[in-house]
Amino acid sequence: MTVEIGFLGPWQIKIDGQPVRLAGRRRVAVLTRLALDAGCPVGTRQLVADVWGQTSTATAGKQLHIVVSKLRDTLPPGLIATVPGGYLLDLPRDQVDAHRFTLLAGQARMARERRETGTADELFRRALALWRGRALAELTDPWAQIESRRLEEERLAVFEDHIELRLAAGDHHAVVTDLAPHVQAHPLREGPRAQLMLALYRTARPSEALAVYQEGRAAMVEELGLEPGARLRRLQHAILTRDSSLELVTPVQAGPIVPAELPPGTRSFTARHEEVDWLREALRHEGVAVVDGSGGVGKSALAVHVAHAMAGQFRDGVIYVNLNGATPGLQPLPVADALGHLLRSLGLDGSAVPAGLEEAIARYRSLTAASDLLVILDNALDADQVRPLIPAGAGCRTVVTSRYALTTLDHARHLHLAGLGDRDAVTLLARIAGPDRVQREPEAAAKIAALCDGFPLAIRVAGARLRARPDWSLSDLADRLADATRRLDTLQYDDLAVRASIAVSHRHLREEPSGHDAAHTLPLLGLLDTPTHTPAATAALAGWPESRAEAALERLRVARLLESVGRGRYRFHDLIRLYAREQAARELSEEERAGALRRGLHHYLATANTATQLVHPQVQEPYYGADQPGVALAGAREAREWTGAERDNLLAVTHQAAGSADPDTAIGLALGLHMPFNYRGWVTHLADVHLKAIELAARHGDWAGQAQAENYLAWAYRDQGRYEQAIDHLERAVTCWDKAGLPHRRMGSFNNLGIIHTMLGRFDLAHANLSRALDLAEEINEPYAVGAVLNNRAHLLYREGRFEEAIAQARVAVARWSGTLYGEGSSRATLARAFMHAGRLAEAADTYQVALTLLREAGYRIGYAVTAWWSGQTMHALGRHAEARRDWHDCFTTLLDARLLTRAEVDELRRQAVPEMPGPIRNML
């Protein structure tokens, strides 16, 4: 069966030439969205976002499945295929009118470049004949409106290209008739207005041509406040002076063939739709467009792809120069050599090319002053190399690609190119290695794309290796890439190599005096397993002042070896991280590596210890000191902010330390994270960390370290609801404290045992353990510890139904904890719970509000969330429903901000009349 889909006008679908009716806007929208990417997968999330938009609900995915099922009932079998993560319209692109239009237009432009005027004219006419009205007219969704405008812009460009061809062929009489209504409909488009002026002049109607100019000028001044552009002004002057250049040039009179120097486009070019549109738009309006990004990210491929598509719009041709700014094994092209290339492309022979640099620059500007030329300056080193090579003419356009942003270039628009998304990366792999192989092993294909970090160069190497080894499965290659020690070796094939691409930027830094610190820093950063790098941590690694480290990081960012992910925070791409690790092993001695790593880990140990003392001053001095000063945190708020910003880095260095030969650092980090993480509600993230610390402490006979780690692991298990395991570890902690000769430290373990037995309803055991904890706290005369035990005993008492005793005990705890935001806030929340269970709801409500204020000021987010939840329950019981919703909202928002609930979970809770208790706080008193 032959299926044809059309939306360049009223929507239609034909099967074997017969129209087929689709019922329902969403069926039309889904099929259209798939048709726009015919032959390529479209993700389920993308379809839901585009078609369901802001009305999207939790059932949108199911609705999409139903819509696809209904479409399959109507369409031929297999036309809509299910692929990993989405759907694919398995239809040749030329059977969708929009794609056929693009194909025909491209063929027409290529025929024009080959001087095949008749063929080009026929192809242009066929392309334009596909239009039957406004594209996607029936669809009003934002994505459809964007596509409609894009397609309309393409139609106008093709129409105007066709007019240009017809003018060159002497068809000016007919052009006037076709072009006049077009200019009237689009009064601000200068290109067609210039074409109409020229056509009128050639039909001996110069006064009308000048009137067209004046009409355009009036429209532009009125609507834009701008005078016409240089092209229109030059044309007006030429008409007034009857410039002979306006006459039709016959083939005999024609000058030399215009340059057409573009290298072949990449046949596997994939996705980049937004970037392509951006570059095309930039070239319509700006003189210079700069595309920057890391090596191997696809800058050259994008520039060449767009240049091929737009080459026909530049009557004086296209010149391409590779400036070798980051070419392995080659030095950057000197400006004089690049100018020589440009001048020869413009028709000067060897002896006519000026020998002096300034003279050559002047000659180049003179030759391009009145040109309509596209210049591609690929692989530039810096702005100094590019600046003399930009053509002078207002009708000229320049595309520059570089690893550097080149922000000092005047009047340039800038695009930073990042790696491909997961879906596009898999599509690129399929185009190179073969779609059948990818379809057979979709999970392995996704793994390869992820290990290539979205870098097109890396994916091209992977695809080339697969294509060269048909006996390999995708899983074979994925397993090779998964080995980080040889991934860069695997990503090397023939003349393609990821390592060499990265090494060029590193070499440039070594060669530049201002880049020496950055070059030295790169391998040092490879020593730390942190997801991001900060100036403070880098300063510790290098043994430098923080300002010097920050300058080195910024220099690496400029060289595209790091990327910025927020103020004072930088990140590697995975492949560059592997290169940095390789360089660390090659460039640094074992002693240098060990010293730098210890400095980096101790930077985090010192700052975690400081954060612990600031957020919870009642904690005893840390057992494990640090060699580094760490960050000078000014107070509890700054400590909490630092913990939030560095969470992932702290977890990473703690895991890394556990695998090092330094058990004290590993144990110290594990213990140092507990209190700062507890305030944020992240204790459960530390279970694996504490388990490893227990193993290390036991292996090295560190009884005190093991005891504290056992205690903290039990805390994490308690919050996860793993009560029996928590009890086992607390009992081990008691034994370890005895072996460490610190029996008074058993107090915390007995206290936690009392909490867990309370939650399990084992009230006798709870009383026994809390009594032991209280005896030890009073023995060492520690008021804060006494307050903690009394606070927990109040929870036990109201659960036993001894409400008045619970209230009295909670009041004593408040008195003992008075003056500490965390303690007083927690004990007042306990008092409010006792009031609530006693049925004294008004007193409970007032007490909860005081507790919430204190806990908010303390920054104890998880305690605040628990208290806000119970306050909401109390307000609801009192019939104060607005206040209840407010408190529940605060609870959910706090848990969302702490990344303990997702947005979807919060939305579901908010839809409930009386929300159920959120999972992250169900196991807390």
Side-chain angles (χ1 to χ4, degrees), residues 64-237:
L64 171 61
H65 179 76
I66 294 171
V67 168
V68 170
S69 179
K70 294 294 185 183
L71 286 171
R72 284 172 171 162
D73 291 343
T74 304
L75 302 173
L79 189 65
I80 300 179
T82 301
V83 296
Y87 299 95
L88 178 148
L89 185 67
D90 191 6
L91 185 69
R93 291 172 76 84
D94 64 357
Q95 289 174 223
V96 178
D97 62 358
H99 296 308
R100 188 157 65 252
F101 168 73
T102 302
L103 176 66
L104 289 169
Q107 292 173 344
R109 286 163 175 155
M110 286 189 288
R112 181 186 58 190
E113 289 178 21
R114 295 192 300 268
R115 305 300 178 90
E116 298 171 359
T117 303
T119 301
D121 179 63
E122 174 60 24
L123 289 167
F124 275 130
R125 292 181 187 278
R126 286 172 57 193
L128 292 166
L130 293 170
W131 285 77
R132 299 167 285 108
R134 185 167 67 85
L136 302 167
E138 294 88 345
L139 299 176
T140 58
D141 303 304
W143 68 269
Q145 295 300 305
I146 292 169
E147 285 297 323
S148 176
R149 288 192 292 270
R150 181 185 67 80
L151 289 167
E152 174 62 15
E153 186 62 31
E154 279 290 308
R155 184 188 72 82
L156 296 176
V158 170
F159 175 81
E160 290 159 17
D161 283 356
H162 187 211
I163 292 294
E164 198 71 30
L165 180 83
R166 293 168 63 191
L167 280 171
D171 193 20
H172 34 267
H173 290 281
V175 160
V176 170
T177 302
D178 294 342
L179 196 54
H182 178 79
V183 170
Q184 187 173 5
H186 305 281
L188 302 180
R189 292 181 73 88
E190 295 194 9
R193 187 169 295 277
Q195 291 172 332
L196 180 58
M197 289 169 63
L198 181 60
L200 288 166
Y201 180 82
R202 288 182 179 172
T203 54
R205 299 154 70 182
S207 59
E208 292 179 57
L210 292 171
V212 168
Y213 173 84
Q214 293 299 337
E215 289 167 3
R217 179 182 179 278
M220 292 172 197
V221 169
E222 180 180 351
E223 296 195 30
L224 304 177
L226 297 173
E227 291 289 334
R231 181 182 178 186
L232 279 179
R233 294 198 307 273
R234 285 199 306 267
L235 183 56
Q236 182 208 27
H237 181 265

Side-chain angles (χ1 to χ4, degrees), residues 858-905:
Y860 184 32
R861 297 172 72 175
I862 194 68
Y864 180 87
V866 173
T867 304
W869 162 261
W870 285 110
S871 179
Q873 295 292 99
T874 304
M875 295 296 186
H876 181 75
L878 286 167
R880 293 157 64 175
H881 300 302
E883 292 167 277
R885 301 303 297 185
R886 177 204 62 200
D887 287 338
W888 287 329
H889 169 82
D890 288 348
C891 170
F892 305 151
T893 301
T894 301
L895 295 174
L896 177 65
D897 291 344
R899 293 182 276 182
L900 297 173
L901 287 178
T902 66
R903 172 63 65 183
E905 289 171 327

Side-chain angles (χ1 to χ4, degrees), residues 790-814 825-845 847-848 851 867 870-871 874 925:
L790 295 177
N791 181 71
N792 293 326
R793 182 180 277 176
H795 282 288
L796 170 59
L797 291 168
Y798 70 66
R799 286 178 181 235
E800 289 183 304
R802 297 159 63 180
F803 303 128
E804 294 308 316
E805 292 175 79
I807 291 169
Q809 191 87 118
R811 282 177 166 151
V812 174
V814 170
S826 297
S827 56
R828 286 192 181 278
T830 303
L831 176 59
R833 285 281 293 280
F835 280 138
M836 186 182 76
H837 282 273
R840 295 160 64 173
L841 298 182
E843 291 169 277
T847 307
Y848 270 130
T867 304
W870 285 110
S871 179
T874 304
L925 283 176

Side-chain angles (χ1 to χ4, degrees), residues 686-727:
L686 298 177
D688 292 341
V689 166
H690 291 323
L691 193 59
K692 188 66 177 177
I694 290 168
E695 295 171 4
L696 287 169
R699 192 182 310 146
H700 292 86
D702 181 357
W703 294 113
Q706 182 179 348
Q708 191 66 296
E710 297 274 12
N711 201 46
Y712 284 164
L713 178 60
W715 194 324
Y717 282 167
R718 181 197 73 193
D719 287 356
Q720 291 175 337
R722 298 161 66 177
Y723 298 127
E724 297 302 334
Q725 289 171 277
I727 290 170

